[in-house]
């Protein structure tokens, strides 16, 4: 721990300021071909017919690929973790979001590649799209996937569920029920470096893949699976990512570039345009979160009901993981002994959503904190005091049965209050994370299965 | 068509409507200006043309035939950093580094035309440049530091050997 | 490979530029490049002939005897010292680097934006009573900016010069954009000309900058800024876009007209 607190130069700092940092787009490869992708103009449609023959014959075009060229077209981002795949690399028979890639072209220059796209004919049968996930459960709602509106692989239920304590009882005993609906929207990552991949087919049959991925080993696995190649045929060269923020974990450009490179036997580069970044790149997911808290008039939160709908967009990608993390944190930094959480990954005909800084947790923190402030307002209570009162203490048990060893809610809030010039009343200024006991242990935190702290032997 | 790029006069084969960005990156292999948006909206492609900061993605080659173009490679190098480069490094103004080239060119031009380092004037001068990593605070700080001559390039060591009393650096820095 | 490379012309005088432009058939004019170059890069424009105005000598500003003349390729940044409301409007176009590349002629001829108003300088030029001299089919002609915009001249003529009389006063009222990467959703330019007459124009109230004659008439009849604001709506043809709805613009135009006129009154 010699580095903590020390002022160290960035090891890449001098490269950055001398323009010598090599991003994927800066790698030079003789004989490079440029790539463009044909993307669906429709939100939801069946692909009746696709004809690439004219594009293939266009002068300067060296390779055209569709789903037929992909050894394993459907492979899921989390398949290695047991989550079944649902997303094709290139569309096969249907498209589920505007911007979904259907075909890709490698040509001698960008303009030729663009011209080739014009020469690919696709016949579509448009279908009614679904954009509002709240409507996904209605009978007659447009379907995105044949198995239904939600991700079906969470186990015995098609959702994340957390049940703890006696929520009914908590709601009966409460003086006030405070409800709120929170809908954080989608956010684009907008890295200044657009998605870029460069693939060089080597003479020994290997592929050197220059990638902007945030997750090299992960992307290697994804490419290997799609291409049905052993890992030792791939050499991934990562490096400095020009901004990722979670948006460069989807391995969005490497596989298609690799297939084109294999077909053309020439180095292939694919650099997304800024328009593609906004249109087709994944986003942070929109969420719909409903909270209802059972609250006493003196500010104890006895119980919480939560309903979360997570908008996965057209395909699952990492959404199941995001919702799981979200579920862990739905009590926030506070001890709520009776909880009832239902969360669903819901599909829509939007761009598939993905990770972005705090994936899954930022949404529930946003909702929880707004809700705490709402509760304080309803009760006429100071919002700092409400939070400190209900804050986690050592030994408290979270909704997912984690016994907290060193929660920091109390000291962090006290430090924050001091920083912003909020003077806490003495009772709150002197609070600590020590387990509540005696008079300070409220009735609703005593005894209730796996509950708390101080009074128990563990 | 001729251009003088970082002091070297070169004859070019790119057509007159090719963007200066394309010419620099693809024909000349000068890769510090970046293709962030190719529509003048992000600033990552900014270079100096006859001393003035210009979005290279918006400049047709034919419009600048015979001009002097300076990119980050021409501002300074590892053993001779310019004040702007030294300040950007010293003040941690770069994270991923992708916007850094454009920021430094704009900063350099700002200082050349008399920029004092007053915050509002820095924001005005760099207002067309987007950064998604840093939140801009350290960039503005670095430009101010450079304007006031607070970071001497000679003090920014390329040598990463630890000084007495400093923690040992286990991974030595080098150009990426 | 791609289509035959475009012929690129680089005239070195206004006369050469006029001759090269001819009647404008199949000619793409490139001034600062801020609008045309992205179209070229993304393949939206595939010109047969391109006319680069960089060396054409159309970049002079003169001020003499109360008359201001702006060459077509005067950069937007150079307008910061021009009379109001042109100066303020120029300062609110993009950022300092784009303003140094983009030109007043290019801004005047900006096609309507897909999601936001373009050509912000059109409104203050109209308010200043500016006239534009252009070349093209039928030779050179000079016309009021609002007519140039309304009769489609933007698409087929080569702008040479703008000219206006220095006003007594000018004012700008706008829905200010939050930052340099945004566009101004709606703005009003007001001028009291050398002759004392008040002219009004708006940007973002129609597909291009427009004069507000109904508002001008109402104001001329008694100096009621509030009433002039209400009358302005008749001159507009609002549309929804990415920045604001037609409904919102209709609510705000009278407010901006009133503000601009009030500011104008307060200026000596």
């Amino acid at each position: 721990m010699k580095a903590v607190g020390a002022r160290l130069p960035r090891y890449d700092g001098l490269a950055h300021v001398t323009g010598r940092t090599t991003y994927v787009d800066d790698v030079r490869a003789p004989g490079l071909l440029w790539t463009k992708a044909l993307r669906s103009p429709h939100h939801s449609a069946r692909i009746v017919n696709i004809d690439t023959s004219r594009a293939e014959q266009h002068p300067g075009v060296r390779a055209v690929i569709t789903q037929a060229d992909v050894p394993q077209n459907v492979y899921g981002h989390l398949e290695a973790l047991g989550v079944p795949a649902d997303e094709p690399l290139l569309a096969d028979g249907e498209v589920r979001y505007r911007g979904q890639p259907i075909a890709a072209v490698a040509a001698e220059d960008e303009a030729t590649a663009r011209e080739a796209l014009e020469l690919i004919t696709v016949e579509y049968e448009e279908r009614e799209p679904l954009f509002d996930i709240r409507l996904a459960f209605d009978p007659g709602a447009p379907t995105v996937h044949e198995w239904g509106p939600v991700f079906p692989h969470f186990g015995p239920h098609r959702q994340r569920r957390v049940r703890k304590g006696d929520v009914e009882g908590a709601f009966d005993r409460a003086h006030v029920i405070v409800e709120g609906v929170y809908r954080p929207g989608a956010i684009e990552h907008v890295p200044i470096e657009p998605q870029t991949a460069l693939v060089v087919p080597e003479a020994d049959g290997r592929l050197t893949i220059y990638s902007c991925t945030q997750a090299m080993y992960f992307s290697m696995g994804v490419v290997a699976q799609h291409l049905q190649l052993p890992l030792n045929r791939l050499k991934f060269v990562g490096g400095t990512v020009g901004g990722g923020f979670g948006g460069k974990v989807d391995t969005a450009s490497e596989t298609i570039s690799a297939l084109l490179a294999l077909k053309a036997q020439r180095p292939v580069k694919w650099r997304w345009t800024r328009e593609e970044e906004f249109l087709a790149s994944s986003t942070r997911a929109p969420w719909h979160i409903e909270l209802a808290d059972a609250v006493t008039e003196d500010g104890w939160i006895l119980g919480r009901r939560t309903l979360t709908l997570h908008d996965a967009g057209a395909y699952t990608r990492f959404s199941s993981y995001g919702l799981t993390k979200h579920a862990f944190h739905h009590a926030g930094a506070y001890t709520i002994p009776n909880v009832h959480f239902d969360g669903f990954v819901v599909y829509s005909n939007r761009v598939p959503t993905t990770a972005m800084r705090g994936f899954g947790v930022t949404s529930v923190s946003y909702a929880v904190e707004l809700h705490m402030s709402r509760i304080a307002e309803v009760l006429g209570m100071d919002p700092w005091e409400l939070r400190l009162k209900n804050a986690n203490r050592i030994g408290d048990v979270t909704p997912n049965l984690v016994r907290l060893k060193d929660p920091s809610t109390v000291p962090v809030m006290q430090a924050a209050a001091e920083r912003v010039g909020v003077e806490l009343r003495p009772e709150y200024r002197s609070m600590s994370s020590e387990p509540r006991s005696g008079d300070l242990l409220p009735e609703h935190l005593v005894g209730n299965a796996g509950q708390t702290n101080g009074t128990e032997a563990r | 068509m001729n251009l003088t790029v970082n002091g070297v006069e070169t004859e070019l084969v790119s057509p007159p409507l090719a963007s200066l960005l394309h010419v620099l990156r693809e024909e000349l292999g000068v890769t510090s200006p970046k293709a962030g948006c190719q529509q003048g909206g992000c600033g990552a492609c900014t270079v100096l043309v006859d001393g003035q900061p210009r979005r290279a993605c918006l400049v047709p080659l034919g419009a600048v035939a015979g001009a002097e173009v300076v990119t980050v490679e021409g501002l300074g190098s590892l053993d001779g950093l310019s004040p702007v480069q030294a300040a950007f490094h010293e003040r941690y103004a770069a994270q991923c580094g992708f916007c850094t080239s454009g920021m430094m060119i704009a900063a350099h031009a700002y200082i050349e035309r008399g920029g004092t380092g007053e915050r509002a004037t820095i924001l005005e001068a760099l207002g067309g440049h987007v950064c998604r990593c840093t939140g801009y605070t350290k960039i503005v700080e670095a430009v101010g530091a450079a304007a006031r001559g607070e970071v001497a390039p000679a003090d920014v060591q390329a040598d990463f050997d630890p000084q007495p009393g400093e923690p040992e650096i286990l991974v030595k820095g080098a150009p990426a | 490979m791609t289509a035959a490379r475009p012929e690129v012309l680089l005239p070195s005088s206004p006369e050469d530029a006029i001759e090269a432009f001819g009647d404008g058939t199949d000619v793409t004019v490139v001034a600062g490049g801020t609008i045309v170059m992205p179209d070229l890069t993304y393949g939206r424009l595939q010109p047969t002939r391109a006319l680069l105005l960089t060396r054409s000598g159309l970049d002079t500003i003169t001020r003499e005897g109360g008359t201001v003349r702006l060459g077509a390729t005067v950069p937007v940044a150079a307008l910061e010292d021009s009379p109001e409301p042109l100066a303020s409007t120029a300062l609110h176009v993009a950022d300092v680097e784009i303003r140094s590349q983009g030109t007043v002629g290019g801004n005047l001829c900006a096609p309507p934006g897909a999601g936001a108003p373009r050509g912000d300088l059109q409104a203050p030029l109209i308010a200043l009573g500016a006239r534009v001299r252009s070349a093209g089919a039928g030779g050179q002609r000079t016309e009021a900016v609002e007519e140039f915009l309304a009769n489609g001249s933007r698409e087929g003529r080569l702008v040479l010069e703008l000219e206006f009389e220095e006003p007594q006063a000018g004012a700008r009222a706008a829905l200010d954009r939050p930052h340099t990467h945004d566009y101004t959703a709606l703005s009003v330019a007001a001028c009291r000309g050398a002759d004392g007459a008040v002219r009004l124009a708006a940007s973002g109230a129609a597909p291009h900058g427009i004069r507000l004659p109904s508002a001008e008439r109402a104001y001329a009849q008694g100096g009621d800024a509030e009433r002039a604001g209400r009358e302005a709506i008749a001159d507009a043809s609002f549309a929804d876009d990415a920045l604001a709805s037609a409904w919102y613009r209709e609510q705000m135009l009278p407010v901006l007209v009133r503000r601009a006129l009030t500011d104008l009154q307060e200026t000596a």
Side-chain angles (χ1 to χ4, degrees):
Chain A
M1 293 288 271
K2 289 181 247 187
V4 175
R7 195 165 189 282
L8 300 177
R10 287 184 66 101
Y11 69 86
D12 55 5
L14 288 175
H16 284 350
V17 302
T18 53
R20 288 175 65 171
T21 302
T22 306
Y23 304 89
V24 176
D25 197 26
D26 301 329
V27 176
R28 303 289 120 185
L32 186 69
L33 298 173
W34 290 77
T35 304
K36 287 289 172 194
L38 181 72
R39 297 185 177 280
S40 168
H42 302 298
H43 302 290
S44 177
R46 199 167 72 78
I47 296 177
V48 176
N49 192 268
I50 170 166
D51 182 0
T52 60
S53 54
R54 283 192 307 146
E56 288 167 46
Q57 283 146 31
H58 189 60
V61 171
R62 301 297 169 222
V64 180
I65 57 170
T66 64
Q67 52 82 24
D69 295 285
V70 191
Q72 184 175 332
N73 195 35
V74 178
Y75 178 68
H77 286 69
L78 293 179
E79 219 173 299
L81 296 178
V83 175
D86 61 20
E87 185 173 4
L89 182 74
L90 290 168
D92 182 2
E94 59 193 319
V95 284
R96 292 188 169 91
Y97 66 96
R98 176 184 284 176
Q100 181 167 358
I102 298 169
V105 170
E108 296 290 346
D109 54 57
E110 267 193 281
T112 306
R114 253 197 321 260
E115 283 162 18
L117 292 187
E118 305 282 312
L119 299 173
I120 300 174
T121 44
V122 184
E123 205 186 315
Y124 300 97
E125 223 170 65
E126 280 184 71
R127 301 181 298 208
E128 200 195 332
L130 175 77
F131 297 127
D132 187 341
I133 54 174
R134 293 171 299 185
L135 305 176
F137 303 91
D138 293 352
T143 53
V144 182
H145 289 285
E146 58 274 12
W147 60 76
V150 301
F151 175 77
H153 303 295
F154 278 125
H157 310 284
R158 291 187 152 209
Q159 56 166 122
R160 274 292 176 229
R161 289 156 65 98
V162 182
R163 304 282 186 265
K164 181 164 176 281
D166 173 19
V167 157
E168 297 286 344
F171 272 63
D172 285 340
R173 292 194 315 272
H175 299 125
V176 184
I177 308 296
V178 181
E179 295 185 334
V181 179
Y182 307 97
R183 294 169 54 79
I187 299 180
E188 287 279 4
H189 306 82
V190 197
I192 308 299
E193 177 200 36
Q195 184 76 221
T196 315
L198 168 62
V199 180
V200 181
E202 306 290 0
D204 60 4
R206 297 171 83 210
L207 291 172
T208 302
I209 300 177
Y210 297 89
S211 167
C212 65
T213 184
Q214 294 175 235
M216 272 239 294
Y217 293 100
F218 177 76
S219 290
M220 247 176 112
V222 168
V223 173
Q225 275 296 331
H226 274 301
L227 267 46
Q228 291 290 288
L229 289 176
L231 287 170
N232 64 8
R233 287 273 299 277
L234 303 178
K235 176 179 157 190
F236 254 70
V237 180
T240 304
V241 183
F245 321 117
K248 286 180 175 157
V249 298
D250 293 358
T251 320
S253 55
E254 294 86 339
T255 319
I256 286 172
S257 304
L259 282 165
L260 288 167
L262 280 172
K263 200 165 187 185
Q265 280 301 305
R266 295 251 310 260
V268 166
K269 174 152 78 175
W270 191 13
R271 180 180 71 200
W272 288 25
T273 65
R274 187 51 57 182
E275 189 181 7
E276 276 179 304
E277 280 288 331
F278 277 109
L279 172 74
S281 79
S282 50
T283 67
R284 190 197 280 283
W287 299 74
H288 172 97
I289 303 162
E290 296 179 16
L291 293 174
D293 281 18
V295 177
T296 66
E297 61 198 355
D298 57 343
W300 290 113
I301 303 175
L302 305 179
R304 170 171 291 166
R305 285 187 197 282
T306 310
L307 169 67
T308 288
L309 304 180
H310 161 101
D311 188 341
Y315 297 101
T316 307
R317 294 209 184 165
F318 305 103
S319 288
S320 48
Y321 172 53
L323 178 65
T324 303
K325 294 208 292 170
H326 173 105
F328 283 175
H329 292 275
H330 76 277
Y334 315 101
T335 297
I336 302 173
N338 305 293
V339 296
H340 181 288
F341 174 95
D342 288 322
F344 299 86
V345 169
V346 187
Y347 299 103
S348 68
N349 290 111
R350 298 179 65 261
V351 168
T353 59
T354 194
M356 185 176 183
R357 307 187 68 148
F359 185 37
V361 187
T362 37
S363 53
V364 73
S365 300
Y366 165 81
V368 165
E369 289 308 317
L370 285 178
H371 202 64
M372 293 299 277
S373 295
R374 175 169 286 183
I375 294 169
E377 201 182 311
V378 166
L379 295 179
M381 191 172 165
D382 179 275
W384 295 85
E385 293 183 3
L386 174 74
R387 287 174 168 83
L388 282 164
K389 187 162 183 163
N390 289 277
N392 292 139
R393 301 312 203 253
I394 294 168
D396 284 359
V397 176
T398 68
N400 49 313
L401 301 184
V402 172
R403 185 174 296 278
L404 296 169
K405 291 186 192 142
D406 188 15
S408 53
T409 316
V410 172
V412 165
M413 288 214 64
Q414 290 167 333
E418 202 190 306
R419 268 299 171 86
V420 299
V422 166
E423 211 173 303
L424 299 169
R425 287 194 292 163
E427 183 195 339
Y428 293 88
R429 227 180 316 132
S430 61
M431 276 185 178
S432 80
S433 298
E434 289 305 304
R436 286 177 259 250
S437 59
D439 288 344
L440 293 176
L441 182 64
E443 199 192 308
H444 72 289
L445 288 180
V446 173
N448 209 334
Q451 208 60 40
T452 189
N453 69 44
T455 58
E456 290 181 322
R458 274 190 64 199
Chain B
M1 208 158 289
N2 284 11
L3 266 187
T4 303
V5 179
N6 296 323
V8 178
E9 192 176 336
T10 325
E11 198 167 316
L12 302 164
V13 301
S14 291
L17 284 186
S19 73
L20 180 59
L21 179 67
H22 180 89
V23 171
L24 287 169
R25 289 184 58 82
E26 306 309 327
E27 189 177 342
L28 296 177
V30 174
T31 55
S32 71
K34 305 299 182 196
C37 74
Q38 298 214 77
Q39 51 195 28
C42 72
C45 68
T46 307
V47 300
L48 297 174
V49 177
D50 291 333
Q52 299 303 310
R54 293 283 180 265
R55 302 282 156 84
C57 71
L58 298 178
V59 177
L61 178 62
V64 291
E68 290 209 23
V69 175
V70 173
T71 68
V72 165
E73 289 89 339
L75 282 188
S77 62
L78 277 184
D79 49 14
L81 293 176
S82 71
V84 166
Q85 290 170 305
F88 267 63
H89 179 56
E90 173 74 0
R91 298 298 162 100
Y92 302 100
Q95 285 189 27
C96 83
F98 205 77
C99 74
T100 305
S101 299
M103 292 282 186
M104 290 193 300
I105 294 290
H108 180 92
Y110 163 76
I111 294 168
E112 288 291 300
R113 59 176 187 265
T116 56
E118 197 236 308
R119 191 182 139 84
T121 63
I122 297 173
L123 298 182
E124 167 77 12
L126 271 58
H129 292 256
V130 184
C131 171
R132 290 292 281 166
C133 296
T134 66
Y136 303 99
T137 306
K138 305 302 282 180
I139 294 174
V140 173
E141 228 179 89
V143 178
R148 292 182 296 268
E150 284 168 13
V151 183
D155 292 344
V156 177
Q157 298 296 332
D159 173 12
F160 279 77
D161 289 335
Q163 303 304 306
E166 276 187 356
E168 184 196 352
I169 294 161
L170 299 176
V171 177
K172 289 203 179 185
Chain C
M1 272 290 235
T2 55
R5 280 181 177 183
E7 185 192 352
V8 177
L9 307 159
L10 204 73
S12 51
S13 71
E15 294 72 36
D16 284 352
I18 293 165
E19 196 188 316
F21 184 77
D23 65 3
T25 317
D26 279 341
V27 175
T28 301
V29 176
V30 185
T34 57
I35 294 174
V36 173
M37 286 302 287
D39 282 343
L40 290 177
T41 301
Y42 287 100
R44 292 188 290 260
L45 259 183
Q46 275 150 29
T48 19
R49 279 191 307 145
L51 180 55
L52 301 189
L53 294 179
T54 329
R55 305 245 165 84
S56 59
L58 289 169
D59 57 351
T60 54
I61 305 180
T62 60
R63 274 170 116 130
E64 52 183 335
T67 304
V68 178
R69 287 190 184 83
L70 308 171
T73 63
V74 164
V76 175
L79 300 176
E80 288 166 9
D81 300 320
S82 61
E84 291 292 3
L86 189 55
S88 291
T89 308
L91 279 173
H92 283 85
V93 171
D95 63 272
V96 64
E97 284 163 0
I98 295 289
R99 290 198 288 273
S100 306
Q101 279 182 253
T103 64
V104 66
N107 194 283
L108 176 66
C109 294
R118 306 289 288 278
D120 285 14
L121 301 183
Q122 295 163 359
L125 287 169
I126 293 170
L128 284 163
R131 298 168 67 71
V132 48
R133 184 161 60 86
S134 66
Q140 289 189 37
R141 67 165 181 258
T142 302
E143 56 199 319
V145 167
E146 62 264 34
E147 271 154 42
F148 178 87
L149 295 170
N151 65 26
S153 295
R154 270 183 298 170
E155 282 95 55
R157 298 192 67 79
L158 175 67
V159 172
L160 298 169
E161 189 178 74
L162 288 149
E163 178 190 297
F164 56 88
E165 301 305 305
E166 294 213 38
Q168 291 179 11
R172 170 181 182 266
L175 296 180
D176 275 324
R177 58 186 188 159
H179 55 73
T180 60
H181 283 86
D182 216 326
Y183 293 90
T184 303
L186 184 68
S187 70
V188 168
C191 252
R192 192 179 330 115
D195 59 359
V198 171
R199 290 170 62 99
L200 290 163
S203 178
H208 52 73
I210 49 165
R211 193 162 168 197
L212 301 173
S214 309
E216 287 176 7
R217 277 194 297 273
Y219 190 67
Q221 292 163 15
D224 182 347
E226 187 90 41
R227 189 171 146 246
R230 288 194 305 273
E231 294 298 314
I233 292 175
D235 299 322
S237 51
F238 301 109
D240 296 337
D241 68 16
L243 292 185
S245 64
W247 175 87
Y248 183 67
R249 288 185 157 104
E250 190 173 322
Q251 311 310 304
M252 292 310 298
L253 181 64
V255 175
L256 296 181
V257 167
R258 179 176 44 78
R259 279 189 204 159
L261 286 170
T262 309
D263 286 350
L264 196 66
Q265 279 165 352
E266 281 158 19
T267 321

